[in-house]
Amino acid sequence: MKNFILFYITIFSFVALEGNAQQAKIKAANKDYDTYAYIDVIKTYEKVALKGYKSEDMFRKLGDSYYFNSEFEGAAKWYGELFAMNTNIESEYYYRYAQSLRATGQIDKADKMMNEFTSKFENDTRGKLYKENPNYMDLIKENSGRYKIEDAGINSKYSDYGASVYNNKLYFTSARDTGNFSKRKHTWTGEHFTNLYVSDVDSSKVKKFKSSLNSKFHDATPIFTKDGKTVYFTRNNYLDGKKGKNENNTTLVKLYKATLENDKWTNITALPFTSDNYSTAHPALSPDEKTLYFSSDMPGTLGQSDIFKVAINDNGGGYGSPQNLGPTINTEGKETFPFVTDEKEIYFSSDGRPGLGGLDVYVGEIEDDGTISEIQNIGADVNSPKDDFAYIIDPVSRKGYFSSNKIGGQGSDDIYKFLETRKLQCIQELNGIITDAESGIILPRTKVTLYENQVVKNTILSDAAGFYIFPVECGKTYNVRAEKVDYSTKEVSITIEKVSGKTSLPIALDKSKCKVTIGDDLGKCFGIKMIYFDLDKSNIRTEAAIDLEKILDVLDSHPTMKLDIRSHTDSRQTHKYNEALSNRRAKSTIDWLIKNGINPNRLIGKGFGETQLVNECSDNVKCTEEQHQANRRSEFIITAL
């Protein structure tokens, strides 16, 4: 990906090299570097380096010049020379070197560099994401195999990228046109300045978009409103024949807007929140066209470029203040090329997350509060070790386009079309090992039961290694109960993440501390909580039903056991009312057990109202809700074995 639009605006100070014969060349190369003339930088520095001269500053700039043009083989070579001289350097070079190694297939070396990066720079989000997702390649593999991809048929040997569709026409960015009389090249990329082009969808016939949207500098990534009367696009800071420059005398990129009048694009204006001093690019409209998403390195950016959004006021009343989408999506790296669907999804490209190398395409869920969650790499069909970006999709047909400089293309960047044959699914499994809490030894053939909303979903025995595994659904909450003879039953609640992967839940069981006899409270002996009821209610609560499952299991395991179920209330309401309420609660508990297979002859029950409070919360005593709740309980007294 040619990075003039990806905000690599980093300028390094000059460090003099020894060797008087090379001083003029070095000075010229440094000047080129400071003006982003990376192609000229490479030519000059490499000649000097091949003659044996070594300099950290030179290797930095050589590596950067390749890296900023997504030529990762050259970047890896010269960053390698840099690290051979010194490993005590800025964090960014650890990350860039790791990315370059990964993009060139040197996975082991890339992982080693990322591990060093993570240990040296603990607060960097990119390192944290890498550390939190050690099996990220497995997740990418699970998300792969979902696309049919082919060349879009409109590519040239030059950079072609950033497709958008309107009115059955495909608009895109290309560096193919050199002009009729002159061949103007951009010194960053060595290619011609980009313009906007158009073709019919599924046609290979391409025409330059003949309108005032094209200028003599870079123009890119247009998006149109549904009525076709407004377009947002990216352009170098150039309007009405004048170039805007920042304090370093550099012309950056801005978001522009134009309107269609009498079949001509007019009223071209920079959006009011843009600036000469930072870049804004790659617009994307929300489905209701009330929000504009874009990339920028404006103040408040967390990394090299972030995804922002801004409200579009009704009736052309201007724009709100840009808002950074926050650290759940943005990293210290580059986040760019957003695209939003009516399914509350945001697709974007990032080099700050665990991926295949370079920019990868990710998708996240837009929450009601505007934050982004459940971000996933969309898989290796679209993503590659190179740069993959500018992903768009029609949520109905599941057809779309993306751009990439992956191996096998026509030019430096190419546009690909795709059909998504299977939507991205979240696949999760829950597993763990059952052990003895005291000794740590594994406990094979332990009964493990999976519950969801008090309903049994699955029951298995742990294997010879004490291991259990359940397929589960992303985002749901489950209870896992482990039971074994001579051990106290244990139940643990867990919520599964909304990201494909494996969730580990080891369970350690304590040995039983009592043997039940007549007169014991079964709940206390087996570590079963009291059965609680809501205030003034006698129906079984969800968490109470889960506990009753434990009582049920004990009764099933001891077919001659009988129980006296005693229900209690708190002191609120009258004695008469509480006595009736507790009787209803006892009956409700008994009915639940009978409904689930227990012979009625094994159960008796009675309500004691407020006559057996467990604390001082009697009439007219001020107590907390938690204190009152402790009195609303059921007990299970063993009457026969």
Side-chain angles (χ1 to χ4, degrees), residues 598-621:
I598 301 301
N599 191 313
N601 294 330
R602 300 173 62 189
L603 305 171
I604 61 173
K606 178 184 178 181
F608 288 84
E610 58 180 278
T611 61
Q612 296 184 10
L613 300 176
V614 297
N615 53 36
E616 70 277 8
C617 296
S618 58
D619 291 342
N620 301 319
V621 175

Side-chain angles (χ1 to χ4, degrees), residues 366-580:
I366 303 176
E367 301 291 352
D368 291 340
D369 62 0
T371 58
I372 311 301
S373 65
E374 317 307 337
I375 294 173
Q376 296 190 67
N377 187 300
I378 67 169
D381 311 286
V382 170
N383 291 322
S384 71
K386 303 295 185 179
D387 283 328
D388 310 287
F389 56 98
Y391 179 103
I392 65 171
I393 187 171
D394 176 6
V396 177
S397 68
R398 309 310 294 178
K399 292 181 179 180
Y401 298 87
F402 71 96
S403 305
S404 178
N405 63 351
K406 64 176 64 181
I407 294 173
Q410 301 293 322
S412 55
D413 297 312
D414 291 294
I415 298 171
Y416 295 84
K417 61 182 179 181
F418 66 79
L419 170 66
E420 186 187 50
T421 59
R422 174 174 59 86
K423 293 185 71 173
L424 185 63
Q425 295 178 336
C426 186
I427 301 174
Q428 268 276 1
E429 69 174 41
L430 176 63
N431 62 51
I433 297 176
I434 312 299
T435 59
D436 181 293
E438 183 176 354
S439 66
I441 64 171
I442 61 172
L443 297 178
R445 299 192 62 78
T446 300
K447 181 182 177 182
V448 187
T449 305
L450 180 73
Y451 293 86
E452 182 192 353
N453 294 329
Q454 79 191 53
V455 176
V456 176
K457 305 298 290 184
N458 206 344
T459 299
I460 60 173
L461 294 176
S462 62
D463 64 16
F467 186 76
Y468 74 90
I469 182 171
F470 294 115
V472 291
E473 295 184 42
C474 300
K476 290 193 173 182
T477 298
Y478 295 91
N479 283 70
V480 181
R481 182 188 304 164
E483 304 166 82
K484 192 171 181 63
V485 176
D486 296 330
Y487 285 86
S488 297
T489 298
K490 187 172 184 178
E491 188 166 308
V492 183
S493 178
I494 187 167
T495 299
I496 307 301
E497 291 188 9
K498 293 181 181 179
V499 179
S500 293
K502 300 176 182 179
T503 301
S504 177
L505 181 64
I507 299 177
L509 297 182
D510 294 310
K511 289 186 176 179
S512 299
K513 296 181 179 179
C514 68
K515 300 291 183 180
V516 294
T517 63
I518 294 173
D520 285 345
D521 181 347
L522 186 62
K524 290 182 180 179
C525 185
F526 284 87
I528 298 170
K529 295 184 296 184
M530 294 177 181
I531 305 302
Y532 292 111
F533 298 88
D534 288 323
L535 175 63
D536 203 28
K537 302 290 183 182
S538 57
N539 56 295
I540 301 297
R541 277 171 32 175
T542 299
E543 59 267 41
I546 293 173
D547 282 338
L548 282 177
E549 286 278 359
K550 302 174 185 179
I551 299 293
L552 181 65
D553 184 72
V554 173
L555 289 170
D556 286 339
S557 301
H558 300 77
T560 61
M561 180 183 289
K562 295 183 179 181
L563 293 180
D564 177 8
I565 298 173
R566 303 173 181 178
S567 180
H568 305 266
T569 70
D570 60 35
S571 63
R572 291 176 287 188
Q573 293 286 352
T574 66
H575 281 275
K576 183 177 181 180
Y577 178 89
N578 284 332
E579 183 178 1

Side-chain angles (χ1 to χ4, degrees), residues 584-596:
R584 292 199 305 272
R585 288 176 172 175
K587 184 178 184 302
S588 179
T589 304
I590 292 171
D591 288 346
W592 190 96
L593 291 168
I594 292 172
K595 180 181 178 181
N596 284 275

Side-chain angles (χ1 to χ4, degrees), residues 219-463:
D219 305 282
T221 56
I223 56 163
F224 299 86
T225 54
K226 294 174 184 177
D227 62 10
K229 295 181 179 179
T230 303
V231 62
Y232 297 92
F233 65 103
T234 308
R235 176 189 283 182
N236 271 125
N237 187 359
Y238 177 78
L239 188 62
D240 298 329
K242 297 179 180 179
K243 286 195 300 181
K245 297 182 179 182
N246 68 4
E247 56 190 14
N248 295 317
N249 204 35
T250 301
T251 298
L252 304 178
V253 291
K254 281 186 176 183
L255 288 176
Y256 288 83
K257 172 186 175 182
T259 55
L260 189 65
E261 296 181 6
N262 300 320
D263 293 326
K264 291 185 178 180
W265 289 104
T266 185
N267 300 322
I268 298 175
T269 57
L271 297 188
F273 51 83
T274 61
S275 170
D276 292 349
N277 294 313
Y278 54 78
S279 291
T280 49
H282 311 319
L285 281 169
S286 61
D288 62 7
E289 300 188 342
K290 293 182 179 180
T291 304
L292 184 71
Y293 294 81
F294 61 95
S295 304
S296 182
D297 61 350
M298 66 173 56
T301 301
L302 303 179
Q304 296 166 46
S305 68
D306 284 0
I307 308 291
F308 288 79
K309 68 177 181 179
V310 65
I312 302 174
N313 298 332
D314 294 336
N315 302 318
Y319 303 84
S321 298
Q323 298 178 29
N324 190 302
L325 292 193
T328 58
I329 181 172
N330 293 315
T331 69
E332 284 84 348
K334 297 193 303 281
E335 279 70 45
T336 186
F337 288 99
F339 180 76
V340 177
T341 74
D342 58 7
E343 296 180 331
K344 289 190 173 182
E345 293 175 324
I346 180 168
Y347 292 87
F348 65 99
S349 290
S350 173
D351 68 358
R353 296 177 170 275
L356 297 177
L359 290 168
D360 273 14
V361 178
Y362 297 82
V363 61
E365 181 178 334
I366 303 176
E367 301 291 352
D368 291 340
D369 62 0
T371 58
I372 311 301
S373 65
E374 317 307 337
I375 294 173
Q376 296 190 67
N377 187 300
I378 67 169
D381 311 286
V382 170
N383 291 322
S384 71
K386 303 295 185 179
D387 283 328
D388 310 287
F389 56 98
Y391 179 103
I392 65 171
I393 187 171
D394 176 6
V396 177
S397 68
R398 309 310 294 178
K399 292 181 179 180
Y401 298 87
F402 71 96
S403 305
S404 178
N405 63 351
K406 64 176 64 181
I407 294 173
Q410 301 293 322
S412 55
D413 297 312
D414 291 294
I415 298 171
Y416 295 84
K417 61 182 179 181
F418 66 79
L419 170 66
E420 186 187 50
T421 59
R422 174 174 59 86
K423 293 185 71 173
L424 185 63
Q425 295 178 336
C426 186
I427 301 174
Q428 268 276 1
E429 69 174 41
L430 176 63
N431 62 51
I433 297 176
I434 312 299
T435 59
D436 181 293
E438 183 176 354
S439 66
I441 64 171
I442 61 172
L443 297 178
R445 299 192 62 78
T446 300
K447 181 182 177 182
V448 187
T449 305
L450 180 73
Y451 293 86
E452 182 192 353
N453 294 329
Q454 79 191 53
V455 176
V456 176
K457 305 298 290 184
N458 206 344
T459 299
I460 60 173
L461 294 176
S462 62
D463 64 16

